[in-house]
Amino acid sequence: MILLLPAVLAACDRQSQPKEQANASASGEVAATPGEAASGAKTPEAFSYKLDRSKAGTPAPAFAFLDPDGGEKTLADFAGRPVLVNLWATWCTPCVAEMPTLDRVAAAHGAKGLAVLTISQDTQGLNAAKTFFAKQKLPHLKAYADPENQFGFAYATGSLPTSVLYDAQGKEMVRVIGAMDWEGKEANALIEAALQS
C-alpha cells in the first residue's frame, strides 16, 4: 500500500492529460479536458474527467467499508436503489472541489432514491473524513471511509476522485475518473438514467 501512495498522490493532483492524449478515448471512454466537459460546456478548472463504460454490467463489490458511526456497511445494504460511489480523500484538491456539487445532488435526488456515498480513501480512516465534514457545510452527505483502500484497488483507476454509478440492481453503469460537476447536463443525464433503472 505504501508503494501505491505516491502514484495515487500524483494522480489526484494531475489536472490534465498530455495534449496528444487529451481527446483520445479507449472503448467505452469519453475524455473531457480541464475547463471543458465532454459536451463542450465550460466548467470550473478543477473539473477534469473521463467517462468509462467498459465495466458496465459488473456487479458492485461485496467488501465492507465504515459508516459514519464506525460500523460496517456494504453496497448490498443499499440494494434496490441506484448508488453513486465517490472515492475521495481530504488532501485531494479536485475531490474537495466536486464535494459541494455531490451534496446538492444528494439533496435533489435522495428523495427519488439515489444514494450518494462519499467514501474516503484517507489512511487515517473515519477520523479524517469526519473532521473534514465537521468543517464543511455538506448537510446531505455522510462520512464513509475505506482506510484499507479496497475500493481503490478494486476500481484500479489509479486516480482520485473516482466515482462509480450503479443501477438499482447493483450493476455498474459508468465510471467517472476525475472531478465532475455533478449538477451539469452530462452528470444529470447519468443520474436520470440510474434513477430509471
Side-chain angles (χ1 to χ4, degrees):
M1 188 157 96
I2 293 173
L3 295 174
L4 291 176
L5 186 58
V8 171
L9 285 170
C12 174
D13 290 335
R14 189 179 322 134
Q15 294 296 312
S16 62
Q17 299 171 321
K19 287 190 187 286
E20 64 274 8
Q21 295 180 2
N23 293 317
S25 62
S27 176
E29 295 182 357
V30 176
T33 58
E36 183 177 6
S39 64
K42 292 296 178 185
T43 62
E45 273 303 308
F47 298 143
S48 175
Y49 63 91
K50 72 177 179 181
L51 301 180
D52 180 356
R53 290 185 172 89
S54 66
K55 310 284 189 306
T58 304
F63 40 75
F65 55 98
L66 299 176
D67 70 17
D69 298 321
E72 290 191 348
K73 292 275 189 204
T74 67
L75 294 181
D77 292 321
F78 301 88
R81 59 193 291 200
V83 177
L84 174 58
V85 173
N86 174 260
L87 302 186
W88 70 289
T90 57
W91 43 261
C92 172
T93 302
C95 301
V96 173
E98 78 174 345
M99 204 59 75
T101 70
L102 286 164
D103 183 68
R104 291 188 290 271
V105 162
H109 300 287
K112 299 176 188 175
L114 180 69
V116 179
L117 308 179
T118 51
I119 304 177
S120 169
Q121 300 295 284
D122 287 281
T123 55
Q124 300 88 354
L126 201 51
N127 289 337
K130 287 178 99 170
T131 300
F132 174 86
F133 278 99
K135 294 177 182 177
Q136 306 298 318
K137 292 182 180 179
L138 302 166
H140 303 98
L141 297 177
K142 295 181 181 177
Y144 294 95
D146 173 29
E148 302 299 322
N149 295 306
Q150 295 177 96
F151 279 95
F153 290 124
Y155 294 157
T157 67
S159 183
L160 289 177
T162 290
S163 299
V164 180
L165 187 60
Y166 293 96
D167 65 18
Q169 291 74 45
K171 304 289 187 185
E172 182 170 328
M173 295 179 70
V174 64
R175 292 182 186 197
V176 180
I177 303 164
M180 174 183 252
D181 176 0
W182 286 97
E183 295 176 293
K185 183 177 179 181
E186 189 165 36
N188 191 55
L190 297 174
I191 291 167
E192 287 302 323
L195 288 170
Q196 293 173 20
S197 65

